[in-house]
């Protein structure tokens, strides 16, 4: 195996961090095996069972709840509180046996995550696996997509009986099943667009990304407006979900954050929703205050993106974070990609907030409509469907059919139209609202992981910050068999990464302990700094001595 690029400090830091975790996990598994073996022998003995049981109860009383990282472990018994045990990082470094046993599964999750990062690196940064060129055939593209729809309809068609949290009745307007399914079928087309280089549906892909951003505004507004939870823990969990995987991809693969532009874009608009509702949040129930906040959001967007030069002034200090240079286009400004990507969907997140604010009102209208007589209800629904189809067709004829460059000019101001049309048609009857294809809904839950993973274990870029122009090839000269195999591995890995992200979030981001969370953050920064400093020593000092 040939490594195609020099090892970076970030990569070496990751390696330095994962090695002691591997050693600790092996030791923890041995300790668990020894403990279980001892208990098994004791169960077959008639001597000392009562004493053993009492000791086990005492050990369980002293056992910590779960490793939550950093300085977050709280012993259950005052007897266990020693000067060193108050910080889990010290207990980890000292290889404290009970600590390792208690947190064996967390160590295993970290190690599994590290294994997947190594797999990413092998697929995209070494010559161990092959690559092939993309090719597009419209017939094959549509065949595969519609085949997936048919399989999904046959195997996962589900009728839901959930009730509205607002009225308690089975309205289900824009319910969770529906939005997850929406994300799923869009994500499949988005991924196939990249795999087959289906450039003819570029405008549709732009619409799908706008719909994702719309959901960012809709979902976050709904949560904060209803739950009123602006805590540090909620904020940290939100940032972890959006950036945990991409952070390690940037480190291990030496890529810029902006290569995965969906992540910084959703992070930005999530922060803007958080700020809009978090500032003076005790007045959110007042309609005029909420109207003022929405207007302020529009004002910020207009100021940042519509007035020439303002965007560069605001974001130039953050070029280290959102700057990007495509190796194929080295002459473009570092902020060009961030300006272009974020600007395309600069308004749609606000539209999502507005729709979320009026969601209970619209659901109330729909509830009343369902209670009216059929001779009145049917004509109203028919009118809604007819108008929606007419508006959608007009948008398709005069906006969607434009060439790529012309379409992008209109997209920020018109993307709300097809989204609204889809919402109207998808919710026009109670039956439509209750149905969903759970296979697409399942895929909709792992959209972030499938988006990030595709670049490295489904496609290939081969170089840092490179766009994935090639396909990963495990079965050379058999493109469809290769597609089947790489897709199966890719989806499986993406799901595991989704699971691991949530598992480690539970371990390291406590939901109701800000002190422990703060200690975890400080510990993470300290450990990262130490690892990076050690990597500098290991990589630079030998060069200086030569």
């Amino acid at each position: 195996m040939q490594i195609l690029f020099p090892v970076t400090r970030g990569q070496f830091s990751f390696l330095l961090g994962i090695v002691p975790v591997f050693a600790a996990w092996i030791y923890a598994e041995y300790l668990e095996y020894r403990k279980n073996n001892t208990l098994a022998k004791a169960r077959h003995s008639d001597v000392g069972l009562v004493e053993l049981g009492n000791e086990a109860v005492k050990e369980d009383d002293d056992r910590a709840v779960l490793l939550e990282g950093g300085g977050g472990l709280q012993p259950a018994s005052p007897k266990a509180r020693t000067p060193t045990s108050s910080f889990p990082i010290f207990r980890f470094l000292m290889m404290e046996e009970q600590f390792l046993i208690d947190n064996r599964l967390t160590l295993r999750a970290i190690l599994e995550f590290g294994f997947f990062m190594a797999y990413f690196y092998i697929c995209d940064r070494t010559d161990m696996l092959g690559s092939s060129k993309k090719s597009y055939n419209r017939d094959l593209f549509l065949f595969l997509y519609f085949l997936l729809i048919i399989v999904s309809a046959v195997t996962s068609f589900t009728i839901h009986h959930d009730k509205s949290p607002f009225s308690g009745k089975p309205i289900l307007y824009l319910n969770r099943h529906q939005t997850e399914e929406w994300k799923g079928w869009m994500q499949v087309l988005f991924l196939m667009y990249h795999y087959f280089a289906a450039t003819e549906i570029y405008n549709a892909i732009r619409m799908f990304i706008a719909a994702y951003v719309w959901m960012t505004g809709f979902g976050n507004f709904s949560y904060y407006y209803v739950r009123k939870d602006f805590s540090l823990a909620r904020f940290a969990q939100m940032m972890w979900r959006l950036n945990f995987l991409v952070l390690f991809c940037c480190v291990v693969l030496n890529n810029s954050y902006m290569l995965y532009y969906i992540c910084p874009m959703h992070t930005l608009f999530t922060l803007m929703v958080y700020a809009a509702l978090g500032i003076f949040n005790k007045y959110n129930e007042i309609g005029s205050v909420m109207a003022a906040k929405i207007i302020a959001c529009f004002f910020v967007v207009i100021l940042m993106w519509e007035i020439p030069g303002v965007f560069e002034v605001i974001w130039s200090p953050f070029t280290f974070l959102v700057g990007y240079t495509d190796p194929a286009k080295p002459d473009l400004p570092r902020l060009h990609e961030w300006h272009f990507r974020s600007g395309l969907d600069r308004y749609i997140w606000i539209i999502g907030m507005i729709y979320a604010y009026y969601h209970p009102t619209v659901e109330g209208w729909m509830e009343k409509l369902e209670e009216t007589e059929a001779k009145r209800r049917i004509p109203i629904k028919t009118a809604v469907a007819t108008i929606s189809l007419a508006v959608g067709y007009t948008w398709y004829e005069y906006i969607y059919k434009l060439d790529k460059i012309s379409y992008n000019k209109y997209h920020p101001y018109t993307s709300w139209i097809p989204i609204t049309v889809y919402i109207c048609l998808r919710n026009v009857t109670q039956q439509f609202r209750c149905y969903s294809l759970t296979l697409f809904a399942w895929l909709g839950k792992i959209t972030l992981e499938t988006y990030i993973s595709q670049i490295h274990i489904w496609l290939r870029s081969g170089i840092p910050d490179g766009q994935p122009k090639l396909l990963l090839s495990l079965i050379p000269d058999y493109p469809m068999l290769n597609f089947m195999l790489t897709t199966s591995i890719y989806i499986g890995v993406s799901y595991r990464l989704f699971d691991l992200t949530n598992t480690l979030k539970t371990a390291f981001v406590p939901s109701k302990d800000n002190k422990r969370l703060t200690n975890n953050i400080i510990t993470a920064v300290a450990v990262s700094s130490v690892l990076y400093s050690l990597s500098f020593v290991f990589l630079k000092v030998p060069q200086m001595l030569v």
Side-chain angles (χ1 to χ4, degrees), residues 11-267:
Q11 292 164 349
F12 201 80
S13 299
F14 181 81
L15 182 63
L16 287 176
I18 210 70
V19 167
V21 172
F22 176 73
W25 172 69
I26 292 293
Y27 187 39
E29 292 291 347
Y30 165 73
L31 292 172
E32 182 71 12
Y33 169 78
R34 188 179 67 180
K35 172 187 171 185
N36 292 336
N37 193 42
T38 302
L39 291 175
K41 290 180 179 178
R43 278 195 293 268
H44 291 84
S45 173
D46 294 328
V47 181
L49 287 178
V50 175
E51 289 79 6
L52 182 63
N54 291 335
E55 289 178 5
V57 171
K58 182 179 179 181
E59 287 178 3
D60 288 340
D61 180 60
D62 288 342
R63 182 174 299 177
V65 179
L66 176 67
L67 172 62
E68 301 221 28
L73 195 62
Q74 295 295 329
S77 170
K79 297 178 182 179
R81 292 193 180 105
T82 64
T84 57
S85 66
S86 59
F87 289 99
I89 187 64
F90 297 142
R91 299 179 68 186
F92 170 79
L93 294 174
M94 297 298 293
M95 292 290 181
E96 185 179 310
E97 292 188 2
Q98 189 58 54
F99 178 82
L100 296 180
I101 292 174
D102 292 343
N103 300 288
R104 178 175 55 90
L105 296 181
T106 301
L107 294 171
R108 181 189 296 175
I110 295 172
L111 198 62
E112 185 181 354
F113 182 82
F115 168 79
F116 287 131
M117 290 297 97
Y119 180 64
F120 276 36
Y121 187 87
I122 290 171
C123 289
D124 200 30
R125 291 292 189 273
T126 72
D127 62 352
M128 179 178 291
L129 303 175
S131 60
S132 58
K133 293 182 179 180
K134 299 179 181 181
S135 63
Y136 176 63
N137 180 288
R138 183 188 296 172
D139 181 49
L140 177 63
F141 184 92
L142 294 176
F143 166 76
L144 290 173
Y145 187 65
F146 285 115
L147 178 63
L148 180 61
I149 292 176
I150 293 170
V151 171
S152 181
V154 171
T155 61
S156 68
F157 179 82
T158 306
I159 301 175
H160 303 282
H161 301 286
D162 301 2
K163 294 185 178 181
S164 166
F166 300 102
S167 64
K169 297 184 178 181
I171 301 300
L172 295 173
Y173 166 59
L174 278 175
N175 59 81
R176 185 64 176 266
H177 308 291
Q178 185 184 126
T179 54
E180 295 289 8
E181 178 205 69
W182 186 5
K183 288 193 294 183
W185 67 256
M186 289 193 302
Q187 185 72 356
V188 171
L189 279 174
F190 180 76
L191 296 172
M192 290 177 66
Y193 161 80
H194 283 150
Y195 191 90
F196 293 103
T199 54
E200 68 176 1
I201 65 168
Y202 171 87
N203 293 354
I205 300 305
R206 294 273 67 80
M207 265 310 312
F208 297 161
I209 294 173
Y212 291 135
V213 177
W214 179 91
M215 291 185 203
T216 294
F218 181 86
N220 282 290
F221 183 98
S222 298
Y223 178 88
Y224 292 121
Y225 187 74
V226 174
R227 300 287 184 88
K228 301 176 176 60
D229 179 10
F230 300 94
S231 64
L232 174 63
R234 169 62 186 177
F235 179 82
Q237 290 171 348
M238 178 175 59
M239 291 297 103
W240 181 286
R241 178 71 187 96
L242 288 172
N243 293 291
F244 173 73
L245 176 58
V246 72
L247 170 65
F248 282 96
C249 284
C250 290
V251 171
V252 172
L253 296 154
N254 193 28
N255 285 329
S256 298
Y257 187 34
M258 266 306 299
L259 179 67
Y260 316 89
Y261 66 89
I262 293 291
C263 298
M265 195 166 69
H266 281 278
T267 299

Side-chain angles (χ1 to χ4, degrees), residues 266-439:
H266 281 278
T267 299
L268 170 65
F269 296 132
T270 297
L271 290 174
M272 295 179 83
V273 175
Y274 181 84
L277 272 72
I279 298 173
F280 301 118
N281 59 81
K282 63 181 179 180
Y283 302 109
N284 284 345
E285 300 293 338
I286 302 174
S288 58
V289 173
M290 189 53 61
K293 290 188 174 187
I294 296 295
I295 293 171
C297 289
F298 277 111
F299 176 77
V300 170
V301 170
I302 291 170
L303 178 67
M304 190 179 301
W305 277 279
E306 303 290 357
I307 301 177
V310 174
F311 185 91
E312 287 72 17
V313 171
I314 293 175
W315 287 102
S316 57
F318 303 98
T319 302
F320 73 96
L321 183 63
V322 293
Y324 172 73
T325 300
D326 187 344
K329 304 173 183 177
D331 297 330
L332 290 175
R334 291 270 294 160
L335 289 175
H336 169 80
E337 187 76 2
W338 178 230
H339 191 186
F340 171 71
R341 298 293 184 183
S342 62
L344 281 174
D345 300 306
R346 55 186 179 268
Y347 290 110
I348 197 64
W349 63 279
I350 307 177
I351 304 300
M353 290 173 62
I354 295 172
Y355 282 29
Y357 181 72
Y358 285 104
H359 181 274
T361 303
V362 174
E363 194 170 74
W365 293 345
M366 297 174 73
E367 179 183 331
K368 292 179 181 179
L369 180 61
E370 294 296 335
E371 294 173 351
T372 59
E373 297 179 356
K375 63 181 181 180
R376 184 180 178 188
R377 181 173 67 251
I378 293 175
I380 292 176
K381 291 185 176 182
T382 303
V384 170
T386 303
I387 293 171
S388 298
L389 288 171
V391 171
Y393 178 77
T394 303
W395 172 84
Y396 175 79
E397 283 292 326
Y398 294 98
I399 302 296
Y400 180 81
K401 284 187 173 182
L402 293 172
D403 64 272
K404 172 181 176 179
I405 296 176
S406 300
Y407 175 81
N408 283 341
K409 294 178 181 178
Y410 290 99
H411 176 80
Y413 313 103
T414 61
S415 60
W416 63 273
I417 297 174
I419 290 174
T420 305
V421 168
Y422 176 81
I423 292 172
C424 290
L425 295 176
R426 186 66 174 81
N427 293 275
V428 71
T429 70
Q430 182 68 43
Q431 289 73 24
F432 284 176
R433 294 193 290 272
C434 292
Y435 299 156
S436 79
L437 302 180
T438 54
L439 175 58

